[in-house]
Amino acid sequence: MSTVTQIKLALKARLSLLADVDQAEIDSYLPPVKTERIALVIPPFGQETRVDRLTATGRFQLAQAPVMQSHRLRCEFWVKVDTGNLAQTMRRASDIPLEAIRLLMADQDLGGAVSRVGNFGQGDNRWSISSETIDRPVEIAGVPYIVVVVNVPVIDYADA
């Protein structure tokens, strides 16, 4: 069973492969200063964690039942606004969430860090990853960014 930090490192490694992602952080909540195009930031904000014991009545002792931990992790893509090529910036901000989701679909266990990407909690049989774009640019040190959030649910099973 992986720790949340190990899962974030696996997400960082995978999502850093996307075109134009030039910086990636799990230890910050703001984009790195060196960002030229897109920074991936995986902060603890908005994170959900759930732990379930998988038991069947009369079949397992609770202490011996397998454990399933679920996490919903917030992956933020900070798309730096290029005022000289605003149309390209808007296209990248529009396309990056679907590209991220497709990339995660291709690696359902994040290189062995989790049991499954795309589900959250016991009884969740639907594969679902959602995204949201913050409704206005966010300015950091005078630099405007479009922040695109991809919420990635994962499940990780382990023995008791």
Side-chain angles (χ1 to χ4, degrees), residues 54-62 64:
L54 305 176
T55 62
T57 306
R59 188 166 171 213
F60 295 110
Q61 295 294 328
L62 185 59
Q64 299 168 341

Side-chain angles (χ1 to χ4, degrees), residues 21-149:
V21 173
D22 54 34
Q23 301 291 317
E25 289 283 336
I26 67 165
D27 299 323
S28 182
Y29 59 91
L30 296 174
V33 182
K34 296 178 182 178
T35 302
E36 294 292 324
R37 294 176 303 276
I38 299 175
L40 166 65
V41 179
I42 309 175
F45 308 129
Q47 175 183 319
E48 293 180 60
T49 295
R50 174 180 169 166
V51 177
D52 294 299
R53 286 269 187 194
L54 305 176
T55 62
T57 306
R59 188 166 171 213
F60 295 110
Q61 295 294 328
L62 185 59
Q64 299 168 341
V67 172
M68 178 181 74
Q69 67 179 16
S70 304
H71 307 285
R72 190 172 284 121
L73 303 172
R74 180 182 177 103
C75 298
E76 299 177 353
F77 293 93
W78 290 69
V79 181
K80 191 172 188 177
V81 175
D82 179 355
T83 55
N85 194 350
L86 197 53
Q88 175 64 20
T89 300
M90 297 298 132
R91 283 194 291 273
R92 282 310 288 141
S94 296
D95 292 342
I96 195 88
L98 187 55
E99 291 174 15
I101 292 168
R102 286 181 176 157
L103 188 65
L104 293 171
M105 287 174 70
D107 185 6
Q108 282 292 288
D109 66 358
L110 294 176
V114 298
S115 300
R116 189 171 59 237
V117 171
N119 300 98
F120 181 81
Q122 189 173 0
D124 183 4
N125 294 322
R126 295 174 303 130
W127 193 93
S128 179
I129 296 177
S130 63
S131 75
E132 171 189 10
T133 302
I134 305 303
D135 63 354
R136 61 185 44 92
V138 175
E139 195 170 296
I140 304 293
V143 178
Y145 293 88
I146 298 171
V147 182
V148 178
V149 178

